[in-house]
Amino acid sequence: MGANTSQVSDLSDNPSLKALVGTESISENDPFWNQLISFTFISPTSSGESKLLEEAVIPLAKILIENNPRTGNFGALVRIFLGRTKELKISTECQDQLFIWQAHNALFMIRCLLKVFIREMSEEELHLQFSYQERAPGSCSQDLLEELLSNLVHLIVEVPLLDITYSILFEAVTTLLVFFSYQLFHKDILRDGLIYHLCLTSRLVKTLLYNFIRQEKCPPPATHIFEPKDEGGLLYGLASGVASGLWSVFTLGGAGSKVGIDQEHNPLPLSNQSLLLLLVLANLTDGPDWPNPYRQAITCFRNTQDTSSLSAEQPHTFQINFNSLYTALCEQQRSDQATLLLYTLLHQNANMRTYMLSRTDMDNLVLPILEILYHVEDRNSHHVYMALIILLILTEDDAFNRSIHEVILKNISWYTERSLTEISLGSLLILVVIRTIQFNMTRTRDKYLHTNCLAALANMSAQFRCLHQYAAQRIISFRRRAQPHSVCLSFICRCCAHSFFPSLCPSCSLFALLSKKHNKVLEQATQSLRGRQGDNTALPDYAQDLNVIEEVIRMMLEIINSCLSNSLHHNPNLVYALLYKRELFEQFRTHPSFQDIMQNLDTVIGFFSQRLEQAGSDLSVERVQEVIMKGAQALPTDRLKKFPELKFKYVEEDQPEDFFIPYVWSLVFNSGVGLHWSPHGIELFSMDSG
């Protein structure tokens, strides 16, 4: 960075950079600026090198902070960039790579300096850094910060995305991200700021969405090589143009995200950075007289195929191709930020939610979400929450709950606990959600997690159709294997080689797990009371543990009852599993929390048990299933007690920004391409959060 500099280690000795940050004011007409922004600096290719660049820039930026009030050189650099941007669109049309290259270099320098400024000073002090300038007689002062922000937005929105403009568009998006990064250095949520009101346009939201949709890869280095027309000119004797390494900044990895875009092998830097900026903008808090226009734009945009006129009451609305957006969302769910965008659209944009639910290929969207939940051990908790809430929102729609049982899937390779050669999407969803509950009950014990899992199952329960036998078994029973399941009481389950605390096998049914946990906690509570007679020390909170387990048991009983009451004749496998493990429910018949709901289960168990007794002894599995299917048609529905419909709706908690803003900025911190922040200065979240 700076003329004739090719390595990070050279920055502190670079004469051009020394002049920029030094004590002498440099006129905007000085040839120095052309030399400064015609550098062949080899940009970082890893997060480690990005850190080295940051550390090299900090001392230079601090010197500039001290000298800039007298020199105004930072403002001059900004004005040099602004002068270039006024001709960018024409330069693009004329394929003027030199002009675009120099504009990019100037902006890259501004961004690197700004990043340090924002860490070192308040917004008011930053504003002053833009105000220091050489006052020529008769010149008028202008708000340079506002002009820079407006030009960045104009650049992003107006300049077409081509190979020769990719780099500067990426840099413009990244610089806006840096401007908003004040939030990283504040523990409390910022509810207003100087820059919040300076770049308001729904076209920015639309462009960022299209950048995400297009998924354009970084052009190959050869695309950017500038061949000078003469050896003099503006390059001042530099070698033949842009070193290919300059553009490798776009393949930088994140600072430690568990699962994200593989930027080294499949670089999508502009798409990734645009999505991060979009999420930052969408989650800005509303001011007293300033409803967030970016959130309003995300809430009301419509499909390009919608021919109705746009409402004047929604000034921030625009149209975008829903099919393209849906396809991009399906393809990118392995990243946290794409899942968060999907959640945002489903929750806030009724047009997009209606469109998604009308798709006949919902498996393309749901399968990646299920895979996130299936690999819960490898995902951060926020990503799992978002995936689960997406399922909960989808299951609020009865048509979705019916249609997922009509979609038949073949050979789900990532589901490794059992070979699933053919299963409905609905049964797979049930399997994965039950597995998530079991993981939570045995590992994390997060009430929020299992509450939302159960709510999704409850929403689906009345529309359960033709449940796969394995899904039915995982709800109630389990399949006998060569190794008896009783070994689940040991520390390692021989049937599946899983080790859990408190040694419960994930291949056992959810109800079996709940029953064992309920009995174990009761036994522990009883033993503790007996062993502590006369001991006044505090007992473990067994009452709270019991309450949580009983809430889950109650909900599972209601889910089973809802299926039996509404679609018993569609689910012979569930009835078979219920009969096979009827002894699991004996302990709940007299329990005051379960007596009412157990009446229906007892009615079904009693009815089918009698039918099987009448059919004779030593019945084959096929004969048992035949009896069940005929009995399902004969059971009078009025024999089952009516319960309120199980329906749950997702509602954001009060002040959702307390969750979402730290989450979004943790994604920027971990996944921002070419960005590095020292963790020691971060106040918004802890380094182990998420």
Side-chain angles (χ1 to χ4, degrees):
M1 188 166 62
N4 299 317
T5 295
S6 60
Q7 300 295 334
V8 170
S9 59
D10 298 334
L11 290 181
S12 59
D13 298 323
N14 180 271
S16 296
L17 291 179
K18 281 184 174 181
L20 174 68
V21 304
T23 57
E24 298 296 324
S25 179
I26 306 171
S27 168
E28 294 169 41
N29 298 320
D30 195 307
F32 163 84
W33 296 106
N34 276 326
Q35 184 174 357
L36 178 73
I37 61 177
S38 298
F39 55 79
T40 55
F41 175 73
I42 306 298
S43 295
T45 55
S46 70
S47 56
E49 290 178 5
S50 182
K51 179 182 178 183
L52 291 176
L53 173 61
E54 174 92 350
E55 292 171 348
V57 169
I58 286 174
L60 292 168
K62 287 184 175 180
I63 296 172
L64 183 60
I65 290 171
E66 183 178 345
N67 293 330
N68 190 53
R70 294 182 297 277
T71 68
N73 285 344
F74 179 71
L77 174 61
V78 172
R79 285 189 291 277
I80 293 296
F81 166 71
L82 293 177
R84 296 293 191 278
T85 61
K86 292 174 183 176
E87 305 296 333
L88 269 181
K89 202 167 183 182
I90 296 175
S91 299
T92 302
E93 294 171 358
C94 299
Q95 297 285 302
D96 187 348
Q97 297 184 51
L98 170 60
F99 212 81
I100 298 169
W101 169 52
Q102 289 188 322
H104 165 270
N105 287 355
L107 183 55
F108 179 66
M109 295 179 72
I110 292 168
R111 188 253 289 184
C112 290
L113 293 169
L114 273 174
K115 199 158 165 296
V116 181
F117 287 3
I118 287 171
R119 198 189 73 167
E120 297 291 326
M121 62 184 70
S122 68
E123 279 190 297
E124 291 76 12
E125 292 169 330
L126 176 68
H127 202 205
L128 287 175
Q129 292 293 330
F130 284 85
S131 303
Y132 302 130
Q133 55 186 301
E134 187 177 352
R135 310 276 184 194
S139 65
C140 59
S141 176
Q142 58 183 345
D143 193 328
L144 196 59
L145 172 58
E146 182 173 353
E147 188 177 357
L148 174 60
L149 287 165
S150 298
N151 270 266
L152 290 175
V153 173
H154 181 80
L155 194 162
I156 294 168
V157 169
E158 296 293 342
V159 174
L161 176 54
L162 306 171
D163 281 356
I164 61 172
T165 61
Y166 191 103
S167 58
I168 194 166
L169 290 173
F170 168 84
E171 199 57 54
V173 171
T174 304
T175 304
L176 283 181
L177 262 182
V178 168
F179 264 117
F180 284 98
S181 65
Y182 267 109
Q183 180 63 79
L184 278 171
F185 308 103
H186 291 79
K187 190 172 185 62
D188 296 330
I189 303 301
L190 298 180
R191 308 207 172 258
D192 203 0
L194 290 172
I195 63 172
Y196 281 28
H197 312 277
L198 297 181
C199 47
L200 312 182
T201 169
S202 60
R203 290 187 66 195
L204 177 59
V205 173
K206 181 177 181 178
T207 303
L208 294 174
L209 273 173
Y210 264 125
N211 287 347
F212 167 72
I213 288 170
R214 290 179 65 172
Q215 299 290 314
E216 290 284 350
K217 294 184 179 181
C218 183
T223 307
H224 306 286
I225 299 300
F226 169 73
E227 299 292 343
K229 296 179 181 178
D230 59 75
E231 294 187 2
L234 298 178
L235 289 179
Y236 287 88
L238 287 179
S240 60
V242 182
S244 61
L246 172 65
W247 309 97
S248 60
V249 66
F250 306 126
T251 61
L252 246 172
S257 179
K258 273 188 177 180
V259 179
I261 296 174
D262 184 359
Q263 288 134 346
E264 295 287 350
H265 301 100
N266 184 24
L268 300 169
L270 181 60
S271 171
N272 179 72
Q273 218 84 325
S274 296
L275 178 52
L276 290 173
L277 178 58
L278 180 65
L279 293 172
V280 167
L281 295 173
N283 286 281
L284 294 177
T285 55
D286 295 331
D289 303 310
W290 187 81
N292 183 347
Y294 309 107
R295 185 183 299 119
Q296 290 181 327
I298 285 176
T299 299
C300 62
F301 73 78
R302 293 161 34 181
N303 196 351
T304 50
Q305 296 180 354
D306 187 346
T307 57
S308 59
S309 59
L310 298 177
S311 171
E313 298 176 358
Q314 296 178 323
H316 301 291
T317 194
F318 59 88
Q319 291 182 297
I320 203 165
N321 188 304
F322 277 15
N323 180 61
S324 299
L325 179 54
Y326 178 82
T327 300
L329 287 167
C330 292
E331 292 174 349
Q332 296 298 315
Q333 284 310 302
R334 58 200 175 103
S335 77
D336 285 65
Q337 46 266 41
T339 304
L340 181 54
L341 176 63
L342 173 58
Y343 158 80
T344 302
L345 296 178
L346 273 173
H347 178 56
Q348 297 184 10
N349 190 308
N351 301 320
M352 192 68 195
R353 181 170 60 252
T354 300
Y355 175 84
M356 289 185 190
L357 289 169
S358 70
R359 296 283 301 207
T360 57
D361 60 346
M362 277 296 291
D363 52 307
N364 289 336
L365 188 68
V366 175
L367 279 174
I369 298 300
L370 295 183
E371 191 171 356
I372 293 169
L373 293 176
Y374 186 78
H375 296 294
V376 60
E377 301 95 329
D378 303 320
R379 303 283 175 169
N380 68 67
S381 60
H382 287 17
H383 199 185
V384 172
Y385 287 155
M386 289 299 99
L388 187 54
I389 292 170
I390 286 168
L391 289 185
L392 178 54
I393 293 172
L394 293 174
T395 60
E396 292 171 13
D397 183 76
D398 285 343
F400 169 83
N401 295 330
R402 287 190 295 270
S403 65
I404 55 175
H405 293 286
E406 299 169 1
V407 178
I408 304 302
L409 307 170
K410 307 276 189 180
N411 299 315
I412 308 301
S413 59
W414 49 261
Y415 193 96
T416 57
E417 290 175 9
R418 171 172 170 157
S419 175
L420 299 176
T421 56
E422 185 172 289
I423 190 171
S424 71
L425 179 60
S427 289
L428 181 64
L429 195 159
I430 293 167
L431 281 173
V432 172
V433 172
I434 286 175
R435 186 181 186 277
T436 306
I437 297 173
Q438 289 176 304
F439 174 83
N440 183 56
M441 295 293 291
T442 57
R443 294 279 188 92
T444 59
R445 302 186 181 186
D446 184 336
K447 184 176 180 179
Y448 179 88
L449 193 66
H450 73 243
T451 298
N452 283 281
C453 286
L454 291 167
L457 289 177
N459 284 345
M460 296 169 59
S461 59
Q463 279 84 33
F464 283 174
R465 294 290 187 276
C466 303
L467 289 185
H468 192 280
Q469 61 176 357
Y470 186 49
Q473 291 163 4
R474 289 296 294 270
I475 295 173
I476 297 172
S477 179
F478 54 80
R479 189 171 185 174
R480 292 199 178 276
R481 307 185 182 207
Q483 295 287 349
H485 250 62
S486 60
V487 296
C488 287
L489 299 177
S490 66
F491 282 99
I492 296 181
C493 176
R494 296 176 187 172
C495 71
C496 61
H498 276 282
S499 177
F500 279 90
F501 176 83
S503 351
L504 292 169
C505 167
S507 291
C508 288
S509 74
L510 177 56
F511 225 96
L513 183 152
L514 291 169
S515 300
K516 290 171 184 175
K517 286 184 71 69
H518 187 265
N519 293 339
K520 185 168 184 175
V521 174
L522 276 176
E523 181 182 352
Q524 289 173 334
T526 303
Q527 290 176 350
S528 295
L529 288 170
R530 288 174 180 170
R532 298 196 179 200
Q533 291 181 356
D535 186 350
N536 294 325
T537 58
L539 284 170
D541 195 354
Y542 293 117
Q544 183 177 354
D545 287 346
L546 270 179
N547 183 56
V548 170
I549 296 170
E550 288 178 359
E551 284 181 2
V552 178
I553 291 173
R554 170 74 191 192
M555 182 61 76
M556 284 304 302
L557 289 172
E558 290 185 354
I559 289 168
I560 295 169
N561 174 68
S562 174
C563 176
L564 296 176
S565 300
N566 293 280
S567 55
L568 183 147
H569 59 289
H570 289 297
N571 293 288
N573 285 329
L574 185 67
V575 176
Y576 185 97
L578 188 65
L579 294 172
Y580 186 71
K581 293 301 294 182
R582 69 191 79 178
E583 70 275 7
L584 275 175
F585 302 95
E586 291 178 0
Q587 60 184 306
F588 304 128
R589 288 192 174 93
T590 57
H591 195 292
S593 298
F594 313 130
Q595 278 182 320
D596 59 337
I597 204 78
M598 279 302 302
Q599 292 178 19
N600 278 356
L601 270 69
D602 282 342
T603 297
V604 172
I605 291 171
F607 176 83
F608 283 98
S609 296
Q610 184 179 18
R611 304 273 300 196
L612 289 173
E613 288 175 4
Q614 294 172 353
S617 58
D618 297 326
L619 301 177
S620 66
V621 172
E622 291 74 16
R623 176 58 179 150
V624 171
Q625 290 176 333
E626 182 184 344
V627 172
I628 289 173
M629 293 181 70
K630 290 182 178 179
Q633 303 295 331
L635 177 63
T637 56
D638 58 2
R639 289 184 58 179
L640 299 180
K641 179 182 176 181
K642 298 296 181 184
F643 284 85
E645 183 183 16
L646 281 183
K647 274 296 176 186
F648 294 87
K649 184 176 179 61
Y650 170 72
V651 178
E652 279 187 348
E653 296 183 2
D654 293 337
Q655 296 184 312
E657 63 271 17
D658 292 342
F659 171 84
F660 285 103
I661 290 179
Y663 180 29
V664 168
W665 277 105
S666 72
L667 296 180
V668 177
F669 179 88
N670 286 323
S671 312
V673 181
L675 290 170
H676 168 80
W677 283 276
S678 169
H680 302 297
I682 305 302
E683 295 287 341
L684 182 61
F685 50 82
S686 61
M687 290 301 105
D688 59 350
S689 64

